[in-house]
Amino acid sequence: MNAPIKKIVLPVAGLGTRFLPATKAIPKEMLPVLDKPLIQYAVEEALEAGIEDIILVTGRNKQVMEDHFDHAYELEKILQEKGKSEALDIARSMLLEEGRISYVRQMRPLGLGHAIWCARKLVGDHPFAVALPDDLIKGRPGTLKQMVEAYNTVGGNLVATMNVSREDTSKYGVITPGERSGNHIAVSGLVEKPHPEDAPSTQAVVGRYILQPEVMEHLNKKAIGAGGEIQLTDAMAELIGDQPFHAIEFEGTRFDCGSKIGWLMANLSLASEDPMMANEIRQLITFR
């Protein structure tokens, strides 16, 4: 039986330079899509998947995320005094049981692989999930739940993938695909941001992973990869052949909220499905 996935690492130490000046004082993970910050979507997706322990890998000036998942006593008191029970429920909606959310700091910006490695003591000897809050994926069930269900069948390591144009493969980690069964694809190789002519496929990895703890041993080598950073993709590639490794072509729509256009599209997409906003948004888009 596969060990259950009960831990998730959320790397949130990035600088968010593409959203300056908005992110000068506010973490990019706190940018709202409609009425919720990106980090909340990621945590909610993890909880839906049955994950119990949330590990945030933070950096300098990220304390506001810790506050978001804590009581806001002054606000709660005012809302209670004013009888605004619905707003009070919303303000308390992301309070987790004490001890279910932990924080560790990435003290140097050395890449995604390094950020995951920083959580090694909290992960321990357990398999764990990783989600990049920049990647907001709209789907029911959520992508992490789809992956946990697949993991319970195939075990090992999993990545979420989507098909992209060949010219876009240089923006992603790309798998070398093997045998396919439904939306499960055996992975025989991984390469980070290949030149389009060298890409082994057009199946690109997006920001959802399930990994065995042995990946930390490879990250501990601190090998420098693409972009002069410690790449998670390189460490995952070392596991292929030693452990089962699959890609899951997830069902859902992914928005790259690390880019302005992706963030805008996520807002428009979710607003167009909101009962209170849908008609007005559709009329606005049609008018334009």
Side-chain angles (χ1 to χ4, degrees), residues 264 268 280-288:
L264 178 60
L268 289 173
E280 189 172 350
I281 286 293
R282 289 169 186 157
Q283 289 172 10
L284 177 63
I285 292 173
T286 301
F287 173 76
R288 294 296 182 190

Side-chain angles (χ1 to χ4, degrees), residues 102-286:
S102 305
Y103 306 89
V104 61
R105 178 166 287 197
Q106 182 185 21
M107 299 173 69
R108 293 179 292 164
L110 299 179
L112 176 58
H114 181 259
I116 302 304
W117 177 81
C118 287
R120 66 199 182 281
K121 299 294 185 180
L122 294 175
V123 167
D125 296 327
H126 303 278
F128 62 102
V130 174
L132 309 187
D134 285 2
D135 277 346
L136 192 157
I137 305 178
K138 185 178 69 175
R140 288 290 180 269
T143 301
L144 285 171
K145 186 171 184 179
Q146 295 176 42
M147 294 180 72
V148 168
E149 290 173 353
Y151 167 83
N152 291 335
T153 300
V154 301
N157 304 276
L158 294 93
V159 291
T161 63
M162 65 180 187
N163 194 45
V164 300
S165 64
R166 181 159 289 275
E167 54 265 31
D168 282 340
T169 52
S170 60
K171 302 175 184 177
Y172 300 91
V174 178
I175 70 166
T176 301
E179 184 178 350
R180 181 170 190 142
S181 176
N183 68 337
H184 298 183
I185 308 169
V187 175
S188 58
L190 272 169
V191 60
E192 181 68 18
K193 297 180 179 177
H195 291 294
E197 61 270 22
D198 298 326
S201 74
T202 55
Q203 282 291 321
V205 178
V206 300
R208 301 292 185 275
Y209 315 79
I210 289 177
L211 300 171
Q212 297 300 309
E214 287 78 10
V215 74
M216 294 297 188
E217 299 174 14
H218 297 289
L219 290 171
N220 194 49
K221 300 172 186 176
K222 299 185 176 67
I224 302 301
E229 296 182 333
I230 299 170
Q231 294 291 347
L232 179 60
T233 299
D234 295 340
M236 292 191 299
E238 296 285 341
L239 301 174
I240 297 172
D242 294 333
Q243 298 176 340
F245 209 119
H246 290 83
I248 306 300
E249 197 169 29
F250 65 91
E251 296 181 9
T253 304
R254 176 250 188 183
F255 301 96
D256 176 11
C257 291
S259 72
K260 293 176 184 177
I261 188 65
W263 174 80
L264 178 60
M265 292 300 295
N267 274 279
L268 289 173
S269 180
L270 269 64
S272 69
E273 297 177 357
D274 187 300
M276 302 295 292
M277 303 176 66
N279 288 337
E280 189 172 350
I281 286 293
R282 289 169 186 157
Q283 289 172 10
L284 177 63
I285 292 173
T286 301

